[in-house]
Amino acid sequence: MIESFLSAVALAECDEMGHMNIQHYAGKAEAAAHVLAALGGPTARGYAQPDQMHLRFHREMLAGDRVRVMSARCDLEDGPARRPRLVHRIENVGTGLLCATAVTSYGDDAAPRAPDGALPDEAAPRSLTAPAPSGLTREEAGAAHLQRTHLSAIAAADCHADAMTIPAFLQRVSRCQSHLWSLVGFGRRQQAEAGLGTATLELRVTRLAPAPPGRALEILTGFTPPTGKALHYRHFGFDAMTGALCFIAEGVGVMMDLSTRRAVVPPIPDTQFA
């Protein structure tokens, strides 16, 4: 692997629990890919956005923690073809421990250059192993009782080459989570009063359409009631003007007791939202 990014966690990158937010793990993986593209030199192909990013979270990062990304290329064998893929290890420099992994998949051999490597066990999908759904329409989402949790305009700063980036989409998904918990009847205020918080364990984002600047993005959210401690949810990002499905974010998380830092069975009341 090669060092592809070195920085520190800013206070503005942290959530209400003081942890670096999910979109910034994705942002650091994308920053590492930009560095790899730049290190490829003037003859390398320009940076291209990944089609999919799969994140696994292992340890929390706090404001002021020093962060390093180590990267390698580990193409996926897809029948007779090979799908370009990068793996990024997001590490805490101070402790030397792995905090997250990001595996990014590309099309048309567009992945930046990096040393060859194998996909480590800690980066392999654990719960999100089935193919991402891709054919959902806005009407089908409404019929399935998915609820609107976000609506905003897409700015040029959200995009690369006139297409919204994965970190920009996850910034919106992060805001959707407050709506999600309110919809299931146990919002952020109730969680705080009970001394509880939430943590994402695994997240997969799939890009399906460009979502260019000047358009509006609408996110509809679905939730699977937990059978144990794990919480499963999906956020579908639609172009509010055309109805095209642009992004899907699938997440697995837990609710935790903030005093013991242990996962608990979420005290979620019965709900019609699913």
Side-chain angles (χ1 to χ4, degrees), residues 15 17 19 22 57 60 177 181 188 191 197-202 231 233 252-256 261:
D15 59 22
M17 292 190 292
H19 309 149
I22 55 174
F57 302 93
E60 298 157 352
Q177 294 295 88
W181 298 121
R188 292 298 193 193
Q191 292 174 28
T198 58
T200 299
L201 303 179
E202 190 172 1
L231 305 161
Y233 53 85
V252 180
V254 292
M255 191 165 285
M256 64 171 61
R261 311 305 296 177

Side-chain angles (χ1 to χ4, degrees), residues 7 34 54 60 64 87 96 114-115 120 148 163 184 216 226 251-254 260 269:
S7 188
H34 278 278
H54 178 274
E60 298 157 352
V87 59
R148 176 190 276 181
V184 300
V252 180
V254 292
T260 63

Side-chain angles (χ1 to χ4, degrees), residues 2 9 22 37 61 93 114 120 133 138 167 187 218 222 224 226 240 243 245 264 273:
I2 186 174
V9 178
I22 55 174
M61 297 201 79
V93 177
R138 176 64 183 78
E218 176 185 33
T224 302
L245 180 58
V264 299
F273 173 55

Side-chain angles (χ1 to χ4, degrees), residues 104-173:
T104 52
S105 302
Y106 298 78
D108 300 326
D109 198 33
R113 296 176 182 172
D116 289 337
L119 182 69
D121 290 341
E122 61 268 20
R126 186 170 182 178
S127 298
L128 301 174
T129 56
S134 59
L136 189 74
T137 67
R138 176 64 183 78
E139 291 72 24
E140 290 169 340
H145 306 294
L146 274 65
Q147 299 293 313
R148 176 190 276 181
T149 55
H150 188 88
L151 178 66
S152 68
I154 302 171
D158 297 321
C159 301
H160 175 81
D162 287 338
M164 178 181 257
T165 66
I166 285 175
F169 178 65
L170 285 181
Q171 185 270 341
R172 288 157 170 80
V173 165

